[in-house]
Amino acid sequence: MICVSIGRGRHRMFRAEMEHLAEKGAQLLELRLDYLKGRVSLNRLIDNRPCPVIITVRRPQDGGRFSGTEEQRRVLLRSAIVAGVEYVDLEEDAARAIPRFGKTKRIVSYHDFRRTPEDLEEIHARLAALDADIVKIATMANHPHDNVRMLQLVQQAKVPTVGLCMGDIGTPSRVLAGKFGAPFTYATFHHERTLAPGQLSYDEMTRVYHYDQIGPETEVYGVIADPVGHSLSPLIHNTAFRAQGLNKVYLPFRVPPDDLAEFLQSDVEALGVRGLSVTIPHKERVTSYLDYMDPGVEGTGAANTIVWEDGQRKGFNTDIRAALESLEVHMRSRGGSAKDLKGRTALILGAGGVAKAIAYALTQLRMNVVISGRTLGRAEELADLFGCGVVEWERRHEVECDLLVNCTPVGMHPKVDETPYRRSALRPEMIVFDTVYNPENTLLIKDAKETECHTITGVDMFVRQAAAQFKLFTGQQAPAKLMLRTLKSATSAVKY
Ligand code: NAP
């Protein structure tokens, strides 16, 4: 079950959100009375309420906004109990001062906005002893391992426990709460109005993560990155899992570099992780932890996918496959094949992770590859690895190429009016491949189309690498068209 927290300044807005959420299927609402401005009229909020509620009146020291006295706060909490609300949220001291009455259930809560304390078990025991129906512990995650400690606490607790880690490192604990036996998780009304750091919206919890279908048997997948905030992979993979009726969920794991070893060697097992997408800054470092590497990983020293199989960590590079497939499909649409590119010249802009995958792919096709990067040393390093040519960034337009591949982020949202390559240097019949996928129609792609070049977009490549990951994760063919539609509508490149 998902409990949606509402905090509004006016009673009318509170009621409107309550009705709206109940209509959308919410089963439990937390009313944060500390957000109300002026005199609180409890009856206006709870009379004829559309679904069960938790009444919470949080003080500033516990992350709330209540500005009255502690006596006034306790009067409010007591009134809610007398009025027979389903739950009240009582912090440790309030739980001691306010006795059980009637049918109202007691959530005894604890918050730490700085860290996840070492003595979680003792804190839990203290709260549980305060006549708690539910214990709630919310702490800041500073390491991915904090999620593991919190979820194990939830799983082992004798009293029903909601244990959540805050912050973006803590997001997995919110989504996996049900898998580990929590009676509910918390979400917010709208993703732009979070009431606690790292909280997801009700819409994301239901539409992206399908929270109510996550249980003890649900297999866990995800993307590791740092930062991970705006990854579209959870949306695409969860949509695909759902469409195929698979009991799997895909999460964003923010893993700082110093936590990578612990995450891969122990956290994944505790969380039930079966497969991961890997992105910046981990693609190269993860290779030290692999028991098997596919030829692309061997060739580039970078993996973007890890699958746990037969007790082994297996690494794959689906970026390379995706780039080759994008070129193959493109060349076939012109009556040829990617092999026809042999001996032709390709210019790669950028020398980072994607450039490495593309350079490897193009040398497999035996193209003559030239790399141009803003940082010459980095471009030279990459060129040395695969025996490519190098050209200074300022002279990139002088290379006569048949294929141009943008592997820099130039042109990406929000700087959509930028391009890494001057339009006047484009020539008709050139193939222009932009790996940027948000937006799909970058300025470079628009310029290329207007110059009558052939184009391949980052969306083509992104969906192909995600579809290849899906196959590795599930053994099944990916619903690629659905993944494509999902990505396009998420990036608003094309409205369906
Ligand atoms: P990365 O490792 O950080 O490399 C980025 C490269 O771009 C570096 O060489 C960097 O130069 C260069 N660069 C950055 N800003 C630049 C600028 N303003 N002007 C010129 N060069 C600039 O990143 P990555 O993982 O390779 O990703 C690069 C882009 O590929 C992403 O932004 C994304 O749009 C795209 N991508 C696409 C897919 C797909 O499947 N379609 C997948 C992943 C990524 P320095 O070395 O000087 O910093």
Side-chain angles (χ1 to χ4, degrees):
M1 183 162 59
I2 303 169
C3 171
V4 191
S5 303
I6 306 178
R8 299 303 306 255
R10 288 154 61 195
H11 294 78
R12 195 165 52 81
M13 299 309 290
F14 248 109
R15 268 318 286 223
E17 287 189 8
M18 289 168 71
E19 306 294 343
H20 178 77
L21 284 162
E23 259 170 44
K24 285 176 77 178
Q27 293 167 296
L28 181 61
L29 303 175
E30 179 189 43
L31 308 185
R32 286 284 301 269
L33 301 194
D34 50 302
Y35 276 68
L36 272 171
K37 295 195 177 84
R39 207 181 69 79
V40 176
S41 166
L42 192 60
N43 288 351
R44 279 181 71 188
L45 299 184
I46 61 172
D47 286 355
N48 303 318
R49 54 190 174 276
C51 59
V53 295
I54 301 171
I55 294 296
T56 302
V57 194
R58 205 69 83 212
R59 297 169 288 208
Q61 70 254 41
D62 300 310
R65 298 187 174 184
F66 190 69
S67 57
T69 65
E70 182 58 11
E71 195 39 46
Q72 288 167 330
R73 196 176 81 95
R74 291 190 185 173
V75 167
L76 261 178
L77 289 165
R78 285 198 176 93
S79 320
I81 296 172
V82 170
V85 298
E86 288 74 17
Y87 298 92
V88 280
D89 181 307
L90 305 169
E91 304 81 3
E92 219 173 328
D93 59 329
R96 260 192 211 98
I98 300 175
R100 178 181 291 279
F101 175 79
K103 287 188 178 162
T104 301
K105 291 196 169 149
R106 294 157 60 85
I107 299 174
V108 182
S109 69
Y110 174 93
H111 297 82
D112 187 330
F113 286 84
R114 284 174 303 128
R115 68 207 160 100
T116 299
E118 285 307 314
D119 56 345
L120 274 183
E121 284 76 13
E122 283 107 272
I123 293 167
H124 186 276
R126 262 190 355 243
L127 302 180
L130 291 169
D131 195 13
D133 294 294
I134 291 176
V135 169
K136 177 193 175 193
I137 302 185
T139 62
M140 182 60 72
N142 296 317
H143 306 281
H145 189 65
D146 293 337
N147 291 314
V148 175
R149 292 199 291 125
M150 186 62 85
L151 290 168
Q152 286 178 338
L153 180 84
V154 169
Q155 194 168 41
Q156 287 153 17
K158 302 263 182 317
V159 177
T161 297
V162 180
L164 301 171
C165 285
M166 295 184 277
D168 55 358
I169 294 181
T171 300
S173 71
R174 296 180 178 277
V175 182
L176 294 179
K179 176 176 167 73
F180 286 81
F184 53 84
T185 192
Y186 285 83
T188 181
F189 176 73
H190 192 272
H191 69 274
E192 280 169 7
R193 281 216 315 272
T194 54
L195 274 59
Q199 219 175 27
L200 297 171
S201 69
Y202 179 65
D203 202 44
E204 286 170 296
M205 275 287 189
T206 51
R207 199 175 49 85
V208 179
Y209 295 103
H210 303 273
Y211 179 85
D212 284 333
Q213 293 177 42
I214 297 174
E217 304 304 323
T218 304
E219 291 176 356
V220 179
Y221 294 80
V223 53
I224 55 169
D226 185 25
V228 74
H230 294 103
S231 171
L232 291 169
S233 296
L235 174 67
I236 290 163
H237 282 284
N238 284 317
T239 304
F241 286 161
R242 199 54 39 205
Q244 309 282 79
L246 300 168
N247 188 9
K248 297 179 191 289
V249 65
Y250 184 104
L251 301 171
F253 290 107
R254 178 154 94 81
V255 179
D258 288 348
D259 292 306
L260 183 66
E262 183 176 43
F263 184 79
L264 291 177
Q265 290 170 336
S266 92
D267 294 354
V268 289
E269 197 180 334
L271 296 173
V273 174
R274 303 290 186 93
L276 288 173
S277 308
V278 181
T279 182
I280 296 176
H282 299 308
K283 282 185 182 175
E284 292 176 0
R285 289 185 60 196
V286 294
T287 58
S288 332
Y289 304 95
L290 299 175
D291 304 302
Y292 162 84
M293 304 186 205
D294 79 355
V297 179
E298 295 267 11
T300 56
N304 76 334
T305 313
I306 305 178
V307 177
W308 275 258
E309 222 172 58
D310 314 322
Q312 290 200 316
R313 282 183 219 115
K314 299 186 175 176
F316 303 86
N317 193 317
T318 68
D319 284 339
I320 297 169
R321 291 186 202 183
L324 285 171
E325 226 178 83
S326 300
L327 284 165
E328 180 63 37
V329 169
H330 170 75
M331 293 303 286
R332 272 203 215 145
S333 74
R334 295 167 58 191
S337 105
K339 288 193 181 124
D340 303 341
L341 294 170
K342 182 177 168 186
R344 308 262 210 102
T345 299
L347 172 63
I348 295 179
L349 304 178
V354 169
K356 198 183 216 182
I358 298 273
Y360 176 83
L362 300 185
T363 49
Q364 297 289 299
L365 294 175
R366 299 186 186 282
M367 291 193 77
N368 167 32
V369 181
V370 179
I371 296 170
S372 184
R374 172 177 78 163
T375 308
L376 185 62
R378 209 174 168 193
E380 283 173 341
E381 221 173 276
L382 179 56
D384 280 352
L385 203 59
F386 300 120
C388 307
V390 185
V391 78
E392 288 93 347
W393 185 246
E394 295 69 31
R395 303 186 60 192
R396 63 194 182 282
H397 301 105
E398 295 169 24
V399 178
E400 283 203 14
C401 57
D402 307 291
L403 169 65
L404 172 74
V405 193
N406 175 33
C407 298
T408 76
V410 180
M412 197 166 91
H413 181 80
K415 296 184 178 170
V416 294
D417 53 356
E418 292 183 1
T419 171
Y421 197 78
R422 205 168 52 223
R423 178 180 166 149
S424 59
L426 293 167
R427 283 176 297 101
E429 293 304 310
M430 223 166 129
I431 305 171
V432 176
F433 182 172
D434 196 344
T435 66
V436 171
Y437 56 87
N438 186 12
E440 179 171 28
N441 280 307
T442 58
L443 183 54
L444 176 62
I445 291 288
K446 284 183 197 156
D447 285 346
K449 283 180 178 161
E450 284 166 18
T451 314
E452 295 182 359
C453 302
H454 302 284
T455 56
I456 301 174
T457 71
V459 165
D460 283 339
M461 177 173 159
F462 190 85
V463 169
R464 289 182 202 285
Q465 66 79 27
Q469 289 184 328
F470 184 94
K471 179 92 198 297
L472 290 165
F473 291 158
T474 65
Q476 298 181 15
Q477 216 52 44
K481 283 190 180 144
L482 174 67
M483 292 168 104
L484 179 67
R485 272 204 311 276
T486 307
L487 178 64
K488 284 193 177 200
S489 61
T491 58
S492 299
V494 173
K495 294 277 180 222
Y496 282 83

